[in-house]
Each structure stands twice: as structure tokens, then as C-alpha cells.
Amino acid sequence: MSAQPATRNTGSLRVAVIGGGIIGLCTALELRGRGADVAVYESGMELGAGVTMRAAGMLGAAFEWAIEAEQRSLAALARHAGMLWPDFAARVERMSGGGMEFSPEGAIVIARRDGEIEWLETLVAACQARGVPARRLSLKELAHEERGLTGKVKGALLLPEDRQIDAQIALQRLGAALSRAGVGFKFGRKIERIIGGQVFQMPDGERFDRIVLATGAGALPAFAGPRGAPLEHGLVAMVPVKGQMLALAPVDCGPRHVIHSRDIYLAPKSRWVLVGATIERGRADTAVEPARIAALKAQAAELVPALANAPEVTSWAGIRPGTPDDAPMIGQTAIPGVFAALGHYRNGVLFAPATAELVADQVIDGKVSPLAAAFDPLRFDKQDEAARSLSERT
Ligand code: GLY
């Protein structure tokens, strides 16, 4: 990324980023670093009020890469994003003057049942085949890394390049970095309609040359031409995937690394241990269900027994923005000048700096890299068209 503090330049390309979650903020920072004049519109009253505020902050490039080994482009994006994060975090920390709890500790994947050893081996093989560091840990090594783990473990894997941040703190740091770089924020602005044409006019009368949609699981604005005729962006609707999560107070003998089991993950921060998360496809409500939270706590305590006595700090539910193929939508929509940075499903925090680069390449330079091409936001339409023309021919 090339984000540098910059002064406002009236001759710059004016870009409105719709959505103040981590995708919108990283994209705004990248665009600003490349000389654009950027404003961020956030429908809530604080940054990340949609999904980022509820994220676990894992940068699970290797874990996600390995479990998505079949989706090569997604794996490549995860790997690229994972490599960007250390420098990106350091840059934002420098720009904002505060840390975001970037932790380079690595993640540990645990097999607890006999059948899960095969799963672990599949992850190892997927990593090894493509040069992603992954190391099987002996039970003795595991006990050294995580002294609070249950003894009922069948096998373990260390993914040294999987890191984490505190997502909520990162939002504050990004906000400060952006303010210092001269990016404007507009809070409490749910953008329902944008008038397109040579330029785009927002409901508040502000005008922009380009629009970036980074609305997470929120509703997209409608677009209309100067005479009011609708403009179609051609994007499919997001698939909501609810996740419920629990925050437990830190305990002695609590986890040090991010720990993945087949059922849950533990993401320890300085202020709490996050236990996540349910995966409820098609659900868009944010109700927290005590039975689900109790199940998460019980599973956490099976992994790390000391967590059985950890007080519950809070719990919440967030809506992951899924897509029909669980890959993001990055690039120009059917409306020239309107770009998508959407559909990051489980990996918005991980992907954010990489998405920001790919979007800025297109917004500023009109350049669609081979990596970005795999995430064409209009690919679902094209798949439908291909299927239609095939069925017409047969
Ligand atoms: N990235 C973790 C989750 O979606 O639960």
C-alpha cells in the first residue's frame, strides 16, 4: 500500500466510499495515499458499526487458505493479504500514533477426535503443496506453547504466519490515520439513492467522480440517472451469514495463540478472549441466543478448562456479508465509475488491505489485475448468462 498523509488537493479525483467498516476504511486510506480526495459515508454513528465492530480480528491467511484450497483465487488473495498485514499494521500505527494489538504469535489448529487427524493432515498437505509454512506440533511442543490446553488432544498444527489484531481498536486507529491524512467522515448517513451521470450526487448534495460500495451486509444504495431513470449496478444481493460470539475475561492459563478446533476458535486479546462463532447462513438478525452462547462457552472450556470459570464480559451477533460462492466482489459494477468492495464473508479484516489495493488500482488507474479479475462483481450474472446460452443450445 502507498498510504501517505496528504493534503487536500482540489484537482484530485473525488471518491465517496460508502461504508465505514474495515474494507471502506482501508480502501479510503489507499485511495487517499494515491492522491484522491476521499469522503467516507457511514450509516451508523461510529466506524465499523455494521460488522467490523463484531469481528474476531483474525488474520488467518494460512488457515483460510488451507480450508479454501479448492478456491485457488481466494487462496491467493488470502496469502497476498496475509503478507501485506505486518507492514500495513505498522504504517497505520505510525500514522495514528497508537497500536492495534497486532500479534505475530501464529495460530494453532487442534484435532480433538480421531476423525479430525485426517482433517489436520489435509490442512498440512494443502499448505505444504503451496509453500505456506505449517508445522505439526508434538503433544509436548503443544503443551509448551499452550499450557492451559486440555490434555485430550489428538494432534496439533502450528500456522506461524496467521496473526491477529484487535478489530475494534484497529477501527479507531484507522479512523485517526484517515483523519490525519485528510479524509472526511460523514456519520449517520444511510445513503439510499445516488444520482449518476458525469458525476455522482449524494443526498447531501456533495458530488463525486467515483463511488466505492463497501456496505458489508448493509443495503446498497439505489442509483438513478439525472432524469430519475434507474441505473442498474448488476450486483447480486449479499447472503447474510449470522455469527454469534462470546467474550470471556482473560484467565491465568488462558490461550496465547489463536486456536482453531473443528467447532470453534479462540482469539485471545489483552482485554478478553473471544470465542466464536456460529455460522448461520441466511440469518440476518442480530439476536443473541443464550443457548448458542452457552454452547460456545462449553466448547471453549473443553479446549481450555480454565475458561469454564472465566466471567462472561459480553456477547454479540454480527452478520457476515456472504456471496453465492463465498468469494468477495471487487471491481467495477455495471455502472461505470461505481465500484464494489463487497462480500468478504468470514475474512473482511484479513482481506481489507488487499481489497483496498485492488480497488484503488481500478478506481485510480483503471487497471484490473489477474487477481482482481477472479473477483469480478458481475461474475454471477455472467455465470447465469453462460448457463442460459448452454441450455438454449442443447
Ligand atoms: N472470521 C471469523 C468468523 O467469521 O467467524
Side-chain angles (χ1 to χ4, degrees):
M1 288 192 97
S2 52
Q4 305 292 336
T7 51
R8 284 180 93 80
N9 174 352
T10 47
S12 304
L13 193 74
R14 294 162 303 170
V15 186
V17 175
I18 317 295
I22 197 148
I23 299 291
L25 298 181
C26 289
T27 303
L29 192 61
E30 183 67 24
L31 290 166
R32 185 68 184 132
R34 296 194 198 188
D37 193 358
V38 185
V40 175
Y41 285 76
E42 164 57 42
S43 61
M45 296 311 293
E46 54 186 340
L47 295 175
V51 68
T52 310
M53 198 66 105
R54 297 166 175 84
M58 294 182 296
L59 307 172
F63 184 72
E64 296 295 336
W65 181 88
I67 61 174
E68 298 294 352
E70 294 305 311
Q71 285 213 45
R72 283 177 162 269
S73 315
L74 205 49
L77 183 65
R79 187 114 207 257
H80 179 57
M83 287 191 284
L84 290 178
W85 256 104
D87 284 351
F88 177 71
R91 188 175 303 122
V92 173
E93 289 181 353
R94 264 197 317 277
M95 288 177 76
S96 65
M100 59 171 79
E101 288 200 15
F102 178 84
S103 161
E105 288 288 346
I108 293 178
V109 189
I110 301 289
R112 294 187 51 235
R113 304 177 194 101
D114 284 335
E116 290 174 6
I117 291 289
E118 203 177 299
W119 170 62
L120 217 54
E121 294 297 350
T122 309
L123 296 184
V124 175
C127 290
Q128 281 173 351
R130 294 192 188 123
V132 175
R135 187 164 71 79
R136 281 296 298 268
L137 294 176
S138 68
L139 296 184
K140 195 168 160 208
E141 287 172 316
L142 179 64
H144 178 73
E145 295 289 342
E146 286 292 347
R147 59 197 176 102
L149 261 187
T150 169
K152 293 184 197 149
V153 170
K154 301 279 182 190
L157 170 67
L158 175 67
L159 299 170
E161 291 187 359
D162 276 11
R163 291 125 176 170
Q164 64 166 331
I165 55 166
D166 185 314
Q168 293 79 16
I169 295 175
L171 284 168
Q172 294 167 21
R173 302 301 177 237
L174 277 161
L178 284 164
S179 295
R180 289 182 184 179
V183 169
F185 291 99
K186 295 175 185 244
F187 288 100
R189 309 288 176 94
K190 187 165 165 33
I191 305 299
E192 285 173 351
R193 193 160 181 265
I194 297 174
I195 307 294
Q198 288 298 322
V199 293
F200 296 94
Q201 186 173 329
M202 306 298 281
D204 61 7
E206 294 272 357
R207 293 152 80 86
F208 294 93
D209 304 301
R210 305 276 188 275
I211 302 287
V212 176
L213 301 172
T215 42
L220 290 168
F223 288 83
R227 292 167 199 269
L231 296 175
E232 299 300 337
H233 49 56
L235 300 172
V236 294
M238 290 294 119
V239 179
V241 187
K242 178 175 175 177
Q244 301 188 47
M245 186 181 289
L246 167 68
L248 294 172
V251 287
D252 285 346
C253 281
R256 287 179 47 233
H257 301 77
V258 167
I259 298 180
H260 299 276
S261 73
R262 199 72 207 246
D263 310 310
I264 58 160
Y265 54 78
L266 305 176
K269 319 288 175 185
S270 64
R271 58 190 166 142
W272 52 30
V273 179
L274 297 179
V275 185
T278 64
I279 299 182
E280 301 169 63
R281 210 168 173 87
R283 282 193 67 180
D285 64 278
T286 52
V288 176
E289 294 160 312
R292 297 277 196 159
I293 299 300
L296 287 173
K297 182 156 188 196
Q299 287 168 319
E302 276 175 26
L303 269 185
V304 176
L307 291 176
N309 301 319
E312 294 185 22
V313 182
T314 183
S315 52
W316 60 73
I319 309 303
R320 304 176 185 90
T323 61
D325 61 5
D326 288 340
M329 305 196 293
I330 302 170
Q332 187 157 252
T333 69
I335 306 173
V338 177
F339 297 82
L342 294 165
H344 292 78
Y345 182 38
R346 289 169 52 90
N347 287 292
V349 178
L350 168 64
F351 287 150
T355 291
E357 279 190 352
L358 299 180
V359 171
D361 286 349
Q362 298 189 40
V363 171
I364 306 283
D365 304 322
K367 194 178 89 191
V368 182
S369 68
L371 183 57
F375 304 108
D376 178 357
L378 303 177
R379 66 187 178 276
F380 304 107
D381 263 8
K382 288 173 189 153
Q383 283 157 9
D384 286 352
E385 269 167 35
R388 261 200 309 279
S389 89
L390 194 64
S391 72
E392 277 159 18
R393 276 189 278 136
T394 51

